Amino acid sequence: MTKVNVKLKINGDPYELAVRPNRTLVEVLRDDLHLTGTKIGCKTGDCGACTILLDGKSVCSCMTLAIEAQGKEITTIEGVGLSYDKLHPIQEAFVNEGAVQCGYCTPGMIMSAKNLLDKNPKPTELEIRKALSGNLCRCTGYARIVKAIEVASEKMYNTQK
Amino acid sequence: MAIPNFNYLAPTTLKEALTMRVSHGAKSSIMAGGTDLLIKMAHRNHHPEYVIGLNCVADINYIRYNAAGNLAIGPMAKLSTIMDHPDIVSHFPALSHSSGVTATVQIRNMSTLIGNIVNASPSADNATPLLVLDASLVIMHEGGEREVPLHEFFLGFGNSVMKPTELIKEMILPMPGKNSGSSYQKISTRSKVDIAGVCVSAFLTLNDAGVITTARIALGSVAPKPIRVPQAEQVLEGQKPSIELFRKAAALSREEAKPISDMRASADYRKAMVEVLTIRALEASLLIATNKTH
Ligand SMILES: Cc1cc2nc3c(=O)[nH]c(=O)nc-3n(C[C@H](O)[C@H](O)[C@H](O)COP(=O)(O)OP(=O)(O)OC[C@H]3O[C@@H](n4cnc5c(N)ncnc54)[C@H](O)[C@@H]3O)c2cc1C
Ligand code: FES
Ligand code: FES
């Protein structure tokens, strides 16, 4: 059960490191690569704090083995912004609409929102709520998060036209 | 909770995976999406020395018709693909519904239909739809392959006929005849995300005279394994659908349900809900079966 060499592509950048097979992607992101934007809540797939995109689809990085993330495009919250100091419209809307309180759920929420809007640019309120069914927030009561995603959708949709 | 260490094996074909299964047997586990397996390992309920990941096997996430005209589903087909697949939406509505209400968006993006079944959990969301759709599993073993109907696959809680030296190659769904409909009905304490407290699926086929020629009913979370209810099915077959007939079948389903009380629901409540959900599932199946005739 020795370490194995793993090559990961995260936010477009290549990384190579030796990991034990039981290491999850979130552990490697946070502890080895210091990409600490992705959070850990439950480690059992329930809370969504660790949500990232794997080949464009939202998954729990706490239940993804790092070894199995090889050869896939990994996007974390650090890679969502348009550039280092330019927020993504979803991030901007979360800030402007007051959708962030303690902020612990926010990276996961934003990844889930991106997973939704990439597929469905104009979701209804119900579709937004369903898309967030795998993300828990202890602070906001969700209303402002839903609003932020509506605002982001409008902004992205209009500017895309 | 940390996952204990293991040797990770990465076969690139199912044949290679089978060879690994044969040589490591009970010391090995197949990993598809890992959403069940990794939790069991983290909770120390399961300690495989070898994890055989299907992640590197190419082209096994298919959903396609086979030579016999039936739908074949590969071992890496994810629930998120199944729920939206046009052939599943139009011909297997109970399954498109159940896969869409299993777990959360993230878990559906990770987890497979076959992984949901292999666990043989009595509350697996997709078990009762697949039972009424008459699904079967193709099991690979050292000497070749065998096809096992799903109702013979489950033995008891977490127990199936699959041996530790075997693996599932694919699932087969026979194409329903015309005038057919199916439905999945679930009750859980919290939202849709929760594991089902009780679930019921039904399937009906009518002939052109409007008589029920095939009826199947399956119940989840009311016995150590997901079960069919032949007594109720026989009452329906050969009859014209009516609410009285559906009530009779539902009462028989309730009788056959042998649930326990646990944190999700009491036994009495589960039995009562079996009756309600059986009627709902039959009515919804009938609606689909008769709409298709127009
Ligand atoms: C947060 C959370 C919520 C959940 N909610 C639900 C829910 O609402 N409803 C529900 O039914 N389930 C739920 N589950 C359970 C689980 O997600 C599903 O059962 C899922 O479909 C399992 O698929 P998988 O591909 O991840 O399986 P894995 O974990 O990869 O495998 C499951 C089992 O099947 C075996 N296996 C898989 N593929 C094969 C094969 N081809 N051949 C032989 N053996 C195989 C594995 O060895 C393992 O024992 C939930 C899980 C989590 C973490
Ligand atoms: S930490 Fe991954 S879902 Fe909670
Ligand atoms: S803002 Fe605190 S958990 Fe959501």
Side-chain angles (χ1 to χ4, degrees):
Chain A
M1 308 193 194
T2 46
K3 288 187 178 179
V4 283
N5 255 347
V6 167
K7 288 182 187 165
L8 299 173
K9 194 168 166 210
I10 305 165
N11 304 325
D13 297 328
Y15 294 84
E16 194 165 350
L17 71 168
V19 300
R20 290 193 318 276
N22 65 339
R23 302 284 314 284
T24 59
L25 184 56
V26 74
E27 291 166 344
V28 169
L29 288 173
R30 291 180 53 87
D31 302 343
D32 298 18
L33 305 177
H34 307 297
L35 292 166
T36 53
T38 306
K39 305 300 179 207
I40 297 178
C42 63
K43 287 195 179 178
T44 51
D46 290 288
C47 75
C50 67
T51 305
I52 55 136
L53 303 183
L54 209 54
D55 283 341
K57 286 189 172 169
S58 61
V59 301
C60 301
S61 59
C62 71
M63 298 186 63
T64 302
L65 295 179
I67 202 173
E68 290 208 332
Q70 296 189 89
K72 297 179 176 149
E73 296 282 339
I74 301 164
T75 311
T76 68
I77 190 68
E78 288 89 348
V80 165
L82 303 177
S83 66
Y84 181 73
D85 52 5
K86 180 120 181 58
L87 295 182
H88 186 277
I90 300 174
Q91 292 174 306
E92 218 167 62
F94 266 64
V95 173
N96 294 340
E97 298 306 316
V100 182
Q101 286 188 23
C102 81
Y104 202 81
C105 70
T106 310
M109 286 287 180
I110 287 173
M111 300 319 280
S112 284
K114 188 161 188 321
N115 179 70
L116 170 70
L117 295 181
D118 286 349
K119 266 194 312 200
N120 179 0
K122 276 275 173 195
T124 62
E125 185 191 333
L126 184 65
E127 285 169 335
I128 294 174
R129 287 186 179 272
K130 279 189 176 171
L132 300 181
S133 66
N135 293 78
L136 301 181
C137 175
R138 294 287 291 181
C139 308
T140 65
Y142 302 97
R144 283 169 186 265
I145 294 178
V146 173
K147 180 81 201 323
I149 295 172
E150 280 169 349
V151 167
S153 146
E154 265 159 45
K155 191 164 173 202
M156 288 162 71
Y157 187 72
N158 290 335
T159 47
Q160 268 166 17
K161 264 203 289 196
Chain B
M1 217 170 303
I3 300 165
N5 211 4
F6 51 83
N7 294 293
Y8 181 83
L9 305 179
T12 54
T13 63
L14 282 183
K15 234 176 143 182
E16 206 183 321
L18 181 68
T19 309
M20 294 167 174
R21 254 326 236 172
V22 169
S23 54
H24 299 300
K27 282 192 268 177
S28 73
S29 280
I30 299 277
M31 177 160 140
T35 62
D36 269 313
L37 183 68
L38 292 176
I39 290 206
K40 281 194 188 140
M41 289 168 66
H43 290 171
R44 308 291 200 272
N45 291 329
H46 190 63
H47 318 261
E49 205 173 306
Y50 298 91
V51 169
I52 305 170
L54 299 183
N55 187 48
C56 296
V57 180
D59 303 324
I60 55 166
N61 60 354
Y62 56 83
I63 300 170
R64 63 181 178 220
Y65 289 105
N66 62 17
N70 297 323
L71 203 67
I73 300 178
M76 282 301 267
K78 303 286 168 71
L79 293 174
S80 55
T81 319
I82 306 238
M83 64 187 268
D84 290 331
H85 193 278
D87 289 318
I88 293 182
V89 171
S90 54
H91 301 298
F92 307 97
L95 179 61
S96 69
H97 178 199
S98 64
S99 51
V101 297
T102 306
T104 64
V105 178
Q106 293 95 318
I107 301 290
R108 289 195 294 271
N109 279 338
M110 307 172 76
S111 65
T112 62
L113 181 65
I114 289 183
N116 191 241
I117 293 309
V118 174
N119 267 327
S121 157
S123 59
D125 269 300
N126 303 285
T128 61
L130 291 168
L131 276 174
V132 299
L133 293 168
D134 208 20
S136 57
L137 290 166
V138 180
I139 301 182
M140 286 171 89
H141 52 85
E142 203 177 2
E145 293 175 16
R146 64 197 160 108
E147 191 172 332
V148 179
L150 195 58
H151 63 92
E152 292 173 15
F153 180 78
F154 301 123
L155 292 179
F157 189 84
N159 226 330
S160 76
V161 300
M162 187 186 73
K163 300 194 186 79
T165 50
E166 299 180 326
L167 65 86
I168 312 286
K169 184 187 170 193
E170 64 182 7
M171 179 179 291
I172 309 284
L173 293 178
M175 197 60 183
K178 64 169 187 158
N179 310 340
S180 296
S182 62
S183 165
Y184 175 64
Q185 303 285 332
K186 162 184 184 178
I187 286 183
S188 56
T189 357
R190 290 184 297 158
S191 66
K192 298 265 182 283
V193 173
D194 203 9
I195 307 277
V198 192
C199 51
V200 177
S201 292
F203 173 90
L204 291 176
T205 304
L206 312 186
N207 65 14
D208 290 333
V211 172
I212 299 172
T213 53
T214 308
R216 296 191 206 103
I217 296 174
L219 317 178
S221 292
V222 298
K225 59 177 186 175
I227 53 167
R228 287 266 300 270
V229 198
Q231 298 84 340
E233 297 171 358
Q234 280 154 23
V235 160
L236 295 165
E237 288 180 1
Q239 306 294 318
K240 285 207 168 176
S242 68
I243 185 65
E244 291 75 30
L245 185 70
F246 286 177
R247 283 206 186 108
K248 232 193 228 168
L252 284 167
S253 294
R254 178 183 182 142
E255 251 170 65
E256 288 310 304
K258 306 274 186 302
I260 53 162
S261 295
D262 66 10
M263 64 173 183
R264 292 206 172 85
S266 72
D268 284 346
Y269 176 74
R270 284 198 162 106
K271 277 180 90 82
M273 287 309 106
V274 163
E275 194 163 354
V276 172
L277 295 186
T278 303
I279 294 180
R280 282 188 200 163
L282 286 168
E283 282 179 338
S285 302
L286 179 66
L287 216 60
I288 297 170
T290 46
N291 273 346
K292 270 190 189 155
T293 57
H294 297 309

